Amino acid sequence: MDFVMNCLSVGESGNLNIGGIDVSEIAKEYGTPAYIMDEDEIRKNCRVYTGAMREYYDGKGIVLYASKALSCKYIYRVMKEEGMGIDVVSGGELYTALKAGFPPERIYFHGNNKTDDEIELALDNNVGRIVVDNVFELERLNKCAGQRGMTAQILFRIKPGIDAHTHSFVQTGQIDSKFGVALETGEAEEIIVKADSMPNINVVGVHCHIGSQIFELAPFELAAEKMMNFIGDLKDKHGIVIRELNLGGGYGIKYTESDTPIDYDKYIQAVSEVVRGISEKRNVELPFIVMEPGRSIVAEAGLTVYTVGGVKEIPGIRTYISVDGGMGDNPRYILYQSEYEAVRVRNPLDEKKITATIAGKCCESGDILVESAKLSEIKPGDLIAVLATGAYNYSMASNYNRIPRLPVVMVSGGETKLAVRRETYEDLVALDL
Ligand code: LLP
């Protein structure tokens, strides 16, 4: 593969194409910097997951798109059409999804500290499930649901004691996390027994999320095993029947050549086998399975195109290439020292003769997009594409230095459409009084 993203190619003009369209043409029409995404690729990724759920688990489950990866009305409409559910994690994401006409019964509302307003918004709109984080939230939810004469359908966020990082995982008994209730201390069991006796709460399921950008099946298999045994224990000890098992997201993607993702359907296949096995062994009913991929649905479908302003060579030290965006549109380097690949849009497969650091335009030394990128020769005015920026870029963008946020351009069936327009200076002052 020439690029880390499947949906890229080199067109007849010699320019980088996304979804068959020349990136420089898109840049001309919509300006730079801009996020450009291949909608067909996003839909293809959804179908890998939904297809696997049908094939390996007889469709007795749902795949949720974890919309923190990229949240806007357009993407919720795509998810609706693809038969996905969604995971939202704030009133803002929930509101956006509802505004896009997303069916509320397929919305799972997460978050470790939901406010009363958020809980009320969820209940008033009949959101499918609320994933409860802790006992305080449980009590507030029971009260709010009671005031409305409703029963809240909930899952509990459980810490299963597995801590998965890229390329490895450990069983730490990881109770030092702000998310959820711990298994091994008995906290999870206690809260579920308590919830089971509450008048306006129906405990439907349990949930865990073990990490992000994971490239192995084993931690997911272990999480499924632990959670299923927990479901078995709840039944044997308390007669509590758990019908839903939500195993979160975290499936790794290819940011650079050294990343080695596995086929996404394999996760559902592996987890299904474990769940079936334990269900039989422990004599518990086969649960409805929920999976929550975010990054793997959108990351590799998107790139960010920038225009080069200057190329600054510091002899013997480093070359800086300055572009017209930066940490405002992609804060992942400054936050996590994330690695990306970048290419010149013109003849992107030309020999990579230079090593340079692509820097943004913010007043901040750490405002870097790609450190020591290997690139073909670059001159001012060239377009550069940073690849695999479809997840956690637009959704994590800021207006630092009062730089307007970028548009999100979707490419589908050989055409481009705006999903989010570029912010204007007028937008920037719109809230100022
Ligand atoms: N479900 C839950 C409960 C989660 O907390 C997350 C991510 C997901 C699903 C989706 O995980 P994914 O498949 O996207 O890895 N800002 C960070 C990522 C934070 C992820 C937080 N939770 C980044 O830019 O890498």
Side-chain angles (χ1 to χ4, degrees), residues 66 68 87 207 209 212 249-250 292 294-295 332 336 392 396:
K68 69 207 76 179
D87 145 359
H207 157 75
H209 172 76
S212 249
E292 298 177 332
R295 190 189 315 265
R332 295 191 71 256
Y336 322 117
Y392 302 112
M396 292 173 73

Side-chain angles (χ1 to χ4, degrees), residues 340-353:
Y340 284 95
E341 287 195 358
V343 293
R344 195 182 63 198
V345 170
R346 172 175 51 88
N347 298 319
L349 297 178
D350 275 3
E351 198 188 337
K352 303 208 181 319
K353 287 189 180 153

Side-chain angles (χ1 to χ4, degrees), residues 33-80:
Y35 304 111
I36 310 176
M37 306 203 61
D38 184 338
E39 181 182 332
D40 301 334
E41 187 75 10
I42 295 173
R43 289 181 185 271
K44 204 169 83 192
N45 291 333
C46 292
R47 287 172 202 175
V48 169
Y49 282 111
T50 52
M53 192 61 92
R54 276 195 300 275
E55 184 174 348
Y56 300 115
Y57 206 64
D58 302 323
K60 204 171 172 275
I62 189 169
V63 183
L64 311 182
Y65 164 61
S67 66
K68 69 207 76 179
L70 170 70
S71 172
C72 61
K73 290 203 292 193
Y74 195 104
I75 199 84
Y76 291 121
R77 290 194 291 263
V78 170
M79 294 304 144
K80 178 182 169 185

